[in-house]
Amino acid sequence: MKYAILLILAAFLLVGCSGRAEELEKQNAALQQQNKDLSQDLTSQDEYIDEVVTSVNEVYLSIEAARASEKNLLSESKGIEGTKAKNKDDVRKDLLGRIATVNENLQANYKKVDDLQKKVNSSRKQSGALQTMVDNLRKTIEEREQSIAALEMKVSGLEGEVAAKSEVVRQRELVIDAQKKEIATVYYVIGTKKELEEKGIIKDEGGFLWGLVGSTTTLASGLDPSYFTPIDRARNTTFRVEGKIREILPKRNAEYYTQQKNEGGESVLTVADLDHFWRDKYLVILTD
């Protein structure tokens, strides 16, 4: 009887131990699975963060490239006025083309940011830091886009600015040309004393016996330019006169010109010193 009771107790103990072991095994398996799931989840989260950060860095690199391009474009746009007139339009078109390329890259970056935003929104692993990165990235792109837009407007406006400045230069050149022409233009008239007096070009001054003796012939005041012929002093240095040259007015130093008489009675006056001879812009040649 005693041995029977011991056998029954031993049987209960064996059953109890076996049940406990099975329970521990189940708990251990569940813990291992949870640990595996947690490790996978951590790995997945690390990969997700790495992927987002990598994309963000790629966009920032693209933005920095756009910033460098913008700096070069701005520098070139400032120097466009120094180019030759016939090349200015080509330079402006080239700048606008390169600006368009930068804009295209910025638009591509916008798409990348939109994809990142979708990825962040759809992920179960929400991260405030990642969202801040995406928001800052979008703001940076907007700033670059505004800056590029301003540069594009500036380069586009160069056409009108250059045209306006070119017009100013053209007007100044016209004034300069007119001044040069005025400086180079001199006037002459040829005639007998009687003819020139009747036109009011010359007059006699001084002398006695009512000017019959000792008078001096001079240019009259208030000359009428319509009686004179305008010429370019550099191109017209010789004056041919039928007959004899009696006198030239205003008087010039004989060193500044030469006179000779050709066969047939023609007289020739040649200017030898342009600057000194034409200190007076009017020349009156009196003939017999």
Side-chain angles (χ1 to χ4, degrees), residues 12 16 77 91 107 142 216 235 240 259 269 275 285:
F12 275 114
S77 68
V91 173
Q107 296 307 312
E142 290 174 352
T216 302
R235 295 181 179 180
R240 299 181 182 277
Q259 275 188 243
L269 184 150
D275 290 332
I285 301 176

Side-chain angles (χ1 to χ4, degrees), residues 154-201:
K154 179 179 179 180
V155 173
S156 297
L158 282 175
E159 181 178 16
E161 183 179 342
V162 169
K165 291 187 176 181
S166 296
E167 179 61 20
V168 171
V169 171
R170 191 183 73 84
Q171 292 296 332
R172 286 178 179 173
E173 288 176 346
L174 290 175
V175 172
I176 291 172
D177 289 342
Q179 290 174 342
K180 286 181 177 179
K181 184 176 180 180
E182 182 179 352
I183 292 172
T185 301
V186 291
Y187 306 84
Y188 79 96
V189 63
I190 301 173
T192 64
K193 184 176 181 180
K194 182 180 179 181
E195 291 172 341
L196 297 175
E197 284 178 336
E198 290 176 350
K199 293 177 179 178
I201 295 175

Side-chain angles (χ1 to χ4, degrees), residues 36-143:
K36 182 179 179 181
D37 292 341
L38 182 59
S39 296
Q40 290 177 345
D41 188 62
L42 289 174
T43 300
S44 176
Q45 183 171 356
D46 287 342
E47 291 175 350
Y48 162 74
I49 292 174
D50 287 343
E51 183 179 358
V52 172
V53 172
T54 298
S55 296
V56 169
N57 288 335
E58 288 176 353
V59 176
Y60 269 119
L61 287 174
S62 180
I63 292 174
E64 285 304 310
R67 193 192 306 273
S69 296
E70 179 188 351
K71 184 177 180 181
N72 291 333
L73 289 167
L74 182 59
S75 176
E76 291 181 41
S77 68
K78 290 180 179 178
I80 190 173
E81 295 179 21
T83 60
K84 293 182 179 179
K86 64 180 181 180
N87 294 331
K88 286 179 180 177
D89 191 51
D90 292 337
V91 173
R92 186 182 62 83
K93 288 179 180 178
D94 177 64
L95 291 177
L96 289 175
R98 289 159 61 188
I99 289 173
T101 300
V102 174
N103 267 328
E104 289 175 3
N105 291 335
L106 288 176
Q107 296 307 312
N109 287 333
Y110 265 126
K111 186 177 184 308
K112 289 181 181 179
V113 172
D114 288 340
D115 292 341
L116 279 172
Q117 187 64 67
K118 291 177 183 177
K119 187 175 295 185
V120 171
N121 291 341
S122 63
S123 175
R124 292 175 302 165
K125 311 170 186 66
Q126 296 292 335
S127 170
L130 291 180
Q131 183 60 57
T132 300
M133 288 178 66
V134 174
D135 292 341
N136 290 337
L137 186 58
R138 186 185 298 278
K139 183 178 179 181
T140 302
I141 295 175
E142 290 174 352
E143 290 173 351

